[in-house]
Amino acid sequence: MRKPLIIFYALSIYVLSEIIWWAYLLVSVEPERKGMIIGEGAIFLLIFLTGAYYLQKTLRKEKKLQEQQKNFLLSVTHELKSPLASIKLYIQTILKRDLDKAQIHSFLNNSLKDIERLDDLVENMLIATRIENHSYSFPKEEFNFSELVKKVASRLQIHSCSSQTIITELQPDVVLTGDKFALSLVVSNLVENAVKYSPPCAEIKVKLEDKNNTVLFSVEDKGMGISEAEKLRIFDKFYRVGSEETRKTKGTGLGLYIVKQVLEKHKAYIKVKNNKPTGTIFEVTFNSNGN
């Protein structure tokens, strides 16, 4: 992409210099038509510069998209290799060592968590592609949203102080009408993001309540927070917060894009607020029938 930009700038400079040169020659030959030549030249120059500006903007956008796609492929590769390496290690340990039943159960349970992580990654990529191609129909059904949130939070909960503690405050038997699978990805992505970007042993609060047929679902973390400028971009496909600290975290840049797209299909909306003293609150609001 760098080479096309260099060629573009070189051609632009050449064309501008030629326009100025020919305008100078025409004025020298026919000085009585100086006003007309300058006027027509100015209009042509304005049209050229406008076209050049939008072309340059398109080229830069394409360059940025290519960089995001490259980073996405690197992230996906890492996201696939990490759980696979972990599963391989657990299975090799079980096969090569004489472990007791409790240890085997623990290793298999950890392997299952890594498999679920792989499954989430694959499902995110599949649904993102289908949403972009307009081939996903979002089939709706009535289901217990409280149970869904509880199940997802329980799966992502790590029962040790090596990471975060997920605190749930869920009103029981909150019922929604919507795409259960897609909404499970919304919950999973929001909670998993909070886990990724929070410091060790920090509490993450997951809340759910129904107020007069308005369902409020929120996820609060105590991470580094999100700047006001980046709040406008975090739902873009492949976008990740650009600080070095955030780039060290795992992720593909698809999670919040999927969240936004799914919620729009359910006519729900999401707010991003600052938590106090630090962190971020993602708050989702939609009515109980999902329409």
Side-chain angles (χ1 to χ4, degrees), residues 214-234:
T214 298
V215 176
L216 301 175
F217 169 69
S218 65
V219 179
E220 304 177 11
D221 67 57
K222 295 181 180 179
M224 62 184 179
I226 303 172
S227 68
E228 293 299 322
E230 288 186 306
K231 285 178 183 177
L232 301 174
R233 304 181 61 192
I234 56 175

Side-chain angles (χ1 to χ4, degrees), residues 91-146:
I91 293 175
Q92 286 177 335
T93 303
I94 292 172
L95 292 175
K96 292 180 179 180
R97 295 188 180 182
D98 186 17
L99 304 175
D100 58 39
K101 189 175 180 179
Q103 289 176 312
I104 293 174
H105 183 271
S106 176
F107 283 6
L108 291 176
N109 189 47
N110 289 334
S111 297
L112 183 59
K113 288 181 181 179
D114 285 324
I115 291 171
E116 288 173 342
R117 177 179 158 193
L118 282 172
D119 186 56
D120 285 344
L121 176 62
V122 173
E123 294 293 357
N124 274 341
M125 290 190 290
L126 287 175
I127 197 170
T129 301
R130 294 182 67 185
I131 288 172
E132 192 170 39
N133 294 337
H134 305 287
S135 60
Y136 190 72
S137 60
F138 292 92
K140 294 186 177 182
E141 61 180 299
E142 188 177 278
F143 65 95
N144 191 321
F145 192 48
S146 300

Side-chain angles (χ1 to χ4, degrees), residues 5 15 19 33 68 110 125 128-129 139 143 165 170 220 224 228 237 250 253 266 276 288:
L5 282 173
V15 171
I19 291 172
R33 301 179 64 187
Q68 288 178 330
N110 289 334
M125 290 190 290
T129 301
F143 65 95
T165 302
L170 311 177
E220 304 177 11
M224 62 184 179
E228 293 299 322
K237 192 175 183 182
K250 298 173 290 185
H266 289 80
K276 293 182 180 181
S288 58

Side-chain angles (χ1 to χ4, degrees), residues 190 235 256 259-260 263 268-272 282-285:
L190 289 177
F235 296 104
L256 291 179
V259 167
K260 183 71 171 178
L263 292 178
Y269 59 91
I270 184 168
K271 290 181 180 179
V272 185
F282 285 87
E283 186 177 87
V284 180
T285 306

Side-chain angles (χ1 to χ4, degrees), residues 14-51:
Y14 173 76
V15 171
L16 282 174
S17 62
E18 285 295 308
I19 291 172
I20 295 171
W21 174 246
W22 281 106
Y24 171 75
L25 290 178
L26 286 171
V27 170
S28 299
V29 173
E30 301 182 69
E32 70 278 2
R33 301 179 64 187
K34 180 179 178 180
M36 185 188 74
I37 293 170
I38 293 175
E40 290 183 355
I43 293 173
F44 180 81
L45 189 62
L46 179 63
I47 294 172
F48 172 78
L49 290 175
T50 303

Side-chain angles (χ1 to χ4, degrees), residues 248-264:
K248 292 179 182 178
T249 62
K250 298 173 290 185
T252 61
L254 288 178
L256 291 179
Y257 166 78
I258 292 170
V259 167
K260 183 71 171 178
Q261 296 298 315
V262 170
L263 292 178
E264 284 181 353

